[in-house]
Amino acid sequence: MPEQTVRTPPEVDRVAASRAAVEARRARAELKNRVSSGAISALTVLDDAFADPDGVAGRMRATDFLLSVPAIGRTKLTRILEDLKISPAKRLGGLGPNQRTRLHDFIADRESKNRQHKRSRLIVLAGPTAVGKGTVASYIRENYPDVLLSVSATTRKPRPGEVEGVNYFFVDDAEFDRLIENNELLEHATVHNASRYGTPRGPIDEALARGDSVLLEIDIQGARQVRAAMPEATLVFLLPPSWDELVRRLVGRGTEDAEERERRLETARHELAAQDEFDYRVVNGTVADAAQEVVDLIKTRGARPRRAV
Ligand SMILES: Nc1ncnc2c1ncn2[C@@H]1O[C@H](COP(=O)(O)OP(=O)(O)OP(=O)(O)O)[C@@H](O)[C@H]1O
Ligand SMILES: Nc1nc2c(ncn2[C@@H]2O[C@H](COP(=O)(O)O)[C@@H](O)[C@H]2O)c(=O)[nH]1
């Protein structure tokens, strides 16, 4: 029989206490990770800490808490603690009433500013058929990896070279219906009277919560729905250098027969008439320049709307 370790009562207490301390440290570390990844709001942690000073949040040190808040590093930390008149070693649950109020107001103000900032990071790129939306969006995906390109669901069949989960999520009609019923699409539309397309809501919400920029390359019906659902989104209309060039691109792409091209050009006339609904217009002269302009709009949001050509 294996030899058993016999522990005396005080030793049992010590082992249990040490296990509890390890577990509490692990729980605090996990909580810090959840704050820094944006999975939980710092304000929620603070409220928990004040409600239960001996709980996981309450036992967290003010220093560790503040360092887990995105964009607070060691340099800012010292100044913030001084301003809030909180000693670095203090635990959140042990803060006095004035310290609690100051810390709460500081975090609430910061989260409110972050929300305003994040909300503006959703950019919708729309425009008439063959103007080059897909080409510009692909260029951004390849050259600006910090901009997340939303991957739509569609009922159309994959074209040669298209990859599931990269170009689209290819689904059948039943699955598309299920996505709509479960409210999993931010917007959806039947495009060119043919297939259905929709923007999955989950990845967008997650990206915006992380503070990432998201680009949607969708049709004009979809852009209108996004505007209604998220008025803070920035809408960009991609224009061709001229009507003749648009026709050249459509014909040159060679993916539609003459009848379908006529139908799309008819739609394109109506779509061009909708450009005033958009916040910005970008002319797709060269792909690299148009992509740069769109990315600049994502990053600065300050450029003045351009007039159509
Ligand atoms: N700046 C550009 N200069 C010249 N050709 C371009 C430019 N941008 C895109 N093109 C070409 O125009 C054609 C249409 O581009 P693309 O398929 O990206 O258009 P789209 O707006 O996504 O069209 P749709 O809405 O019909 O899917 C393609 O052959 C593409 O290579
Ligand atoms: N409303 C939406 N439109 C979308 C979405 N994804 C793509 N599109 C638009 O569909 C057409 C055709 O695309 P194609 O890849 O089949 O040529 C194009 O205008 C796209 O902008 C979406 O999620 N919602």
Side-chain angles (χ1 to χ4, degrees), residues 13-75:
D13 287 350
R14 266 202 308 281
V15 170
S18 130
R19 278 202 190 125
V22 169
E23 175 54 28
R25 267 201 300 279
R26 192 201 56 73
R28 285 199 296 276
E30 192 183 321
L31 191 57
K32 274 165 52 187
N33 284 341
R34 293 184 66 213
V35 176
S36 47
S37 70
I40 185 171
S41 123
L43 209 51
T44 306
V45 172
L46 217 47
D47 289 341
D48 287 352
F50 298 159
D52 180 10
D54 292 322
V56 177
R59 302 284 302 156
M60 193 187 271
R61 291 194 193 282
T63 299
D64 291 337
F65 167 71
L66 284 166
L67 284 175
S68 71
V69 175
I72 295 185
R74 296 228 163 245
T75 320

Side-chain angles (χ1 to χ4, degrees), residues 128-135 192 217 245 249 252-253 264 284-287:
T129 187
V131 68
K133 301 180 295 293
T135 307
H192 302 312
E217 186 256 294
E245 174 61 15
R249 287 183 190 173
R253 185 169 65 181
R264 287 189 179 220
N284 180 18
T286 70
V287 177

